Amino acid sequence: MEKFVIHKAQPLYGHVKISGAKNAALPILAACLLTSEVCILHNVPPLRDVEEMLALLEGFGVKTEFDKTKEMVQLQAGEIISCDAMQAHAQTMRASFLTAGPLLARMQKAKIPMPGGCQIGSRPIDLHLKGFAAMGANHKLEHGLVELNTKNGGLRGKTVYLDFPSVGATENIMMAATLAKGTTRIENAAAEPEICDLAEFLRKMGAQITGDGTDTIVIDGVAALHGAEHTVIPDRIEAGTFMAAAAITGGDIVLEDVKADHLKPVIAKLAESNVKTEILPEGLRVYRKGKLRPIQLKTMPFPGFPTDMQAQFMSIAAVAKGTSVITETVFENRFLHAGELQRMGADIKIDSRSAVIEGVEELTGSKVRATDLRAGAALILSALAAKGETEISDIYHIERGYYHIEEKLRALGAEISRQEDS
Ligand code: EPZ
């Protein structure tokens, strides 16, 4: 196992290139199951979760080729030899369940392990199953496996209301509906940029989809989809994490390859904390002007403040003079980073879904542990601001969602190294 060793940073300066979005790449890779033709994807980050998804697709018989230097993937689901996800690969990653919709649509059956709950919550799939059932699929849950199949004639278009605008359920039902007979309406759909990127890719494959990015998505089923070429959108959460790094170190950095309109809630919240942004020809400039101010934030489905940026903003609040309040409305247990931040001297009180943070003068470096992907990112941010040396263990969580994060931070002047964790 490896750890990051980080020392208090000078203000970060320089340019950083943001990689392709993990949470757009994963459903788009699954969507390649919907056609027997070749799909070519650009700007795919060589992350652990992407490798897991490719290994899972290969288990179904998909031919894959990943040129990591070009960050380009070529896939062809010419002949699907199995609809039974390999136990090994499917259980480590919740996104494996995004292959259910495409397999149901193409093969009328799928057998996928129940996605494991994880540190941030139980992560149910009831809304995914509600959509598949409405479209005519049966499902059986036993021995931790979800077995799905459609009665005669395949999936039929239906109107599905999502009790919560679930990103994964919206993506799974949208993919399944592309080859269903008739029209599917997803109501109270998620509107995240990653949903729009998936819809864009599906349209390039010949799918008939409108309304993505709103709360109602309409899909008219077609007989077949063809291959397509697509460039994955930039990762707005990686971008937000580097914006937070500039904020917490009082730096001045430029993010290359970002879409500012995907970052509106983060830009707005940073502005409330004396962190300015400026759109330049070469990218998005982020710099702090004055002392960090405390924040009041509530995570919400897009276009609200993203839950995937909540931990990073708790690190900012921990050193912003005054009282901040953070409310997490999307997941039921996404404050695990608070305990680790307290070990660094943060003054945080948790009361169910709200955290009250009293900013302290300075955090102190210590040995901490990444409990999940974004919590790990929050610890890196706090370590950049903390006096002395911080060691972060279990950094495999961080590598799931951040490509070359230590190289990118070092290029901005941070003192971060990777070492064996004894
Ligand atoms: C996606 O997860 C992202 N992952 C998550 O990013 C992100 O935090 C989340 O959306 C919310 O934005 C990927 O895209 C691979 P949800 P997903 O279904 O689809 C409840 C990261 O850090 N729910 O929108 O699993 C669920 O319990 C990861 O990159 C149901 O009740 O999220 C949760 O409370 C973490 N029933 C809420 O909805 C369901 O059937 C949001 O879940 C499905 C979800």
Side-chain angles (χ1 to χ4, degrees):
M1 302 286 260
E2 295 181 302
K3 63 188 175 186
F4 281 143
V5 178
I6 302 171
H7 290 93
K8 183 179 173 77
Q10 294 302 314
L12 299 185
Y13 286 103
H15 285 222
V16 58
K17 181 190 176 313
I18 298 303
S19 301
K22 164 178 84 83
N23 292 350
L26 292 173
I28 286 171
L29 287 167
C32 297
L33 287 163
L34 289 163
T35 177
S36 59
E37 296 182 9
V38 173
C39 293
I40 297 174
L41 304 175
H42 301 278
N43 203 33
V44 178
L47 295 166
R48 188 185 298 263
D49 276 11
V50 169
E51 312 264 13
E52 289 280 351
M53 180 61 86
L54 290 172
L56 178 64
L57 293 173
E58 282 164 9
F60 297 132
V62 180
K63 298 276 174 287
T64 78
E65 217 175 293
F66 191 6
D67 180 333
K68 291 184 191 173
T69 41
K70 291 193 187 132
E71 299 189 357
M72 184 184 83
V73 180
Q74 179 163 316
L75 306 101
Q76 183 167 15
E79 191 210 348
I80 293 180
I81 55 168
S82 158
C83 294
D84 181 346
M86 292 147 63
Q87 289 279 348
H89 288 293
Q91 257 161 356
T92 58
M93 185 177 64
R94 175 177 172 77
S96 313
F97 200 69
L98 292 173
T99 58
L103 284 173
L104 257 186
R106 174 111 183 259
M107 306 299 288
Q108 289 76 53
K109 62 180 179 178
K111 194 171 178 182
I112 321 274
M114 278 284 280
C118 67
Q119 298 276 31
I120 63 178
S122 60
R123 312 297 294 274
I125 53 168
D126 56 310
L127 298 175
H128 300 240
L129 298 177
K130 175 180 179 182
F132 295 151
M135 297 165 79
N138 294 316
H139 67 264
K140 196 170 66 178
L141 308 182
E142 62 181 14
H143 314 309
L145 283 172
V146 185
E147 206 164 341
L148 292 149
N149 58 61
T150 52
K151 297 175 229 127
N152 46 5
L155 295 170
R156 288 182 312 284
K158 276 282 182 200
T159 293
V160 182
Y161 173 79
L162 294 181
D163 306 62
F164 182 88
S166 152
V167 171
T170 301
E171 291 167 342
N172 237 338
I173 297 164
M174 185 163 72
M175 289 189 281
T178 56
L179 297 177
K181 287 183 185 56
T183 299
T184 299
R185 283 171 68 86
I186 307 174
E187 299 190 336
N188 198 28
E192 271 69 2
E194 293 75 27
I195 305 271
C196 299
D197 202 32
L198 172 62
E200 192 52 36
F201 176 61
L202 291 167
R203 278 190 284 267
K204 287 178 181 173
M205 295 171 80
Q208 306 286 316
I209 300 175
T210 55
D212 45 296
T214 75
D215 63 1
T216 304
I217 302 177
V218 180
I219 307 104
D220 289 314
V222 295
L225 294 180
H226 49 74
E229 187 158 3
H230 183 74
T231 298
V232 172
I233 55 170
D235 193 317
R236 62 192 169 103
I237 306 301
E238 184 195 19
T241 304
F242 277 97
M243 294 168 81
I248 211 163
T249 60
D252 185 340
I253 66 174
V254 175
L255 308 179
E256 294 171 0
D257 292 350
V258 293
K259 289 183 182 293
D261 60 334
H262 292 172
L263 284 157
K264 279 185 186 157
V266 173
I267 289 171
K269 208 37 76 180
L270 284 173
E272 291 172 28
S273 193
N274 272 342
V275 182
K276 310 279 182 233
T277 49
E278 199 183 335
I279 296 181
L280 303 175
E282 69 267 30
L284 181 69
R285 180 189 175 206
V286 188
Y287 60 102
R288 196 173 92 196
K289 216 165 171 58
K291 282 197 168 305
L292 283 176
R293 293 173 49 73
I295 47 168
Q296 316 298 319
L297 81 77
K298 190 175 191 181
T299 66
M300 296 293 279
F302 196 85
F305 187 90
T307 173
D308 293 347
M309 282 299 304
Q310 180 258 104
Q312 298 90 315
F313 269 69
M314 191 178 284
S315 293
I316 292 176
V319 289
K321 199 164 166 29
T323 305
S324 296
V325 179
I326 292 179
T327 305
E328 172 58 60
T329 70
V330 175
F331 288 105
E332 70 265 25
N333 182 28
R334 201 170 194 175
F335 285 142
L336 290 171
H337 40 285
E340 298 301 309
L341 292 174
Q342 283 163 339
R343 290 161 60 88
M344 298 176 76
D347 176 351
I348 304 170
K349 288 181 188 55
I350 305 287
D351 169 14
S352 146
R353 290 212 177 194
S354 278
V356 179
I357 304 108
E358 292 299 336
V360 296
E361 202 49 44
E362 187 170 47
L363 296 171
T364 47
S366 78
K367 290 185 190 326
V368 290
R369 197 170 62 80
T371 50
D372 61 81
L373 165 55
R374 307 303 173 184
L379 292 173
I380 291 178
L381 297 173
S382 299
L384 292 173
K387 190 171 66 198
E389 179 175 281
T390 299
E391 289 187 7
I392 303 175
S393 54
D394 294 349
I395 59 173
Y396 61 89
H397 285 294
I398 301 172
E399 290 170 318
R400 291 187 54 190
Y402 291 94
Y403 183 54
H404 281 178
I405 190 162
E406 75 260 40
E407 288 86 342
K408 290 183 178 183
L409 283 170
R410 266 205 297 274
L412 296 172
E415 265 187 76
I416 173 172
S417 62
R418 172 194 294 260
Q419 294 176 18
E420 262 318 296
D421 200 0
S422 45

